[in-house]
Amino acid sequence: MQRRLRNNLPMQDGPTDSLRDVETDLGKSYDRSRPAGRSRYSRGNPMINSELDSGEPSRDALYDLREFPFHFATKPSSYVPSEPQHSNSSSSPPHTSGSLAKKLTSMSEEEQERAVAELLQLSRVPEKRLSLCSKDILEALLPHLESTNMNVQVNSIKALVNFSIEKSNKVVILRAGAVPFIVKVLENGCPEAQEHAAGAAFSLALSDENKSPMGVLNIIPALINLLDSGPIRAREDATMALYNLSLLHTNKSKLVKGGAIPILFNLAQSKETRPDLVSRVLMVLANAASIPEGKAVLTQLNAIPALVRLLAIKSDRHADMIPEQAAAVLILLSKDYLRFVSIVVKAGAEELLTAMVENGTTRGREKASRLLAIIKESLSEPDESDENSVLSRQYMRMKAEGGMMNSSAF
């Protein structure tokens, strides 16, 4: 795998050129560094066309991340903005890349530490990131992510995060073999290094070209483990990394099989979880709920009542997004689930949804209206709580379709 990446060879397990494998290509709605135009995964605008073609809710109707603060949607929490530079540091001498690479591989640990610190300082200058993010620099830098010297380890991963902010550097970093090193930091690094490693994973996952190889290189389990016990900023960026990676269909299955849903669900309903992290968690749960395996796990966890409780209107700018996102997950769970309406009504959804229609965000009002319509349509039919009615309707459906009774619907 790493040999193919370094040699710029095509990936055998790469994504297709359609949106079949990317049901939620929302990256282009919030990655403002991406040029206008079509995603490499899409033809036209499948998020809009899908609703017309299939009759299913379009994924574009579920989220509009353009409302998110810019840094929340595109920048890792651990990212350090550029600092004012002294006049003698804004222009580096010729052959900086080669000389730095040599210093980074020096036999002297002190010189290595100074070289990493110098590279970090230079990586904070946007004009330097493209020229310094070269093959020789990356090959010299990446081994320092495993350094037992915490200053070297932290400064190395910080520099990598800074390089990754530039769109054209994201694929370069991945092809240099960075992902296995990032995984090791996520699993075994010091807490501060883990924060920046999660930021690097988030930043690299914004690239469509990186989503498939990052999934193949087993970064998803490391990010899931960090959600359960990592520092708060690490959790935030790990969640956004998982969100972006799970835009790819094959990665959604990896997310579910890796045990992410119970962890995410616990974070979403915990009173100790900050509102901005709850918002990020619900975004990932929506991706997971878009595949049958994810819906099955959420159903087993009895997630619907907890999601209904999240519909309550908040005042904080991040909390305002929570009801909208909880409604998005509920819409996905409502599909082909006969008991859905009886559960949400019993949980008190109608009153909360009515309040959302009156006071929610624009997208929140749309989702609340859709859920109320689902409830109204169902209640106009035979009582869902009447077992005989449900069995009768299921039997008639089975008879009409010539299929077998599906006990999972109950």
Side-chain angles (χ1 to χ4, degrees), residues 167-193:
K167 180 184 175 184
S168 59
N169 284 346
K170 297 181 190 296
V171 175
V172 173
I173 292 171
L174 182 135
R175 287 178 174 162
V179 173
F181 288 97
I182 294 172
V183 169
K184 290 179 182 178
V185 178
L186 290 171
E187 293 175 339
N188 303 309
C190 66
E192 185 178 359

Side-chain angles (χ1 to χ4, degrees), residues 79-132:
Y79 170 64
V80 179
S82 302
E83 298 177 351
Q85 301 296 311
H86 299 293
S87 59
N88 61 352
S89 63
S90 60
S91 59
S92 56
H95 312 301
T96 296
S97 178
S99 60
L100 269 176
K102 186 176 180 179
K103 292 177 184 177
L104 288 167
T105 55
S106 169
M107 296 298 292
S108 167
E109 293 184 6
E110 291 182 0
E111 187 169 4
Q112 289 179 11
E113 186 170 1
R114 287 194 297 269
V116 169
E118 181 183 353
L119 185 64
L120 172 60
Q121 188 65 23
L122 290 170
S123 73
R124 290 173 174 159
V125 184
E127 294 78 10
K128 298 292 182 185
R129 291 176 192 149
L130 292 175
S131 61
L132 289 177

Side-chain angles (χ1 to χ4, degrees), residues 189-205:
C190 66
E192 185 178 359
Q194 286 181 324
E195 290 181 359
H196 295 290
F202 167 27
S203 185
L204 293 178

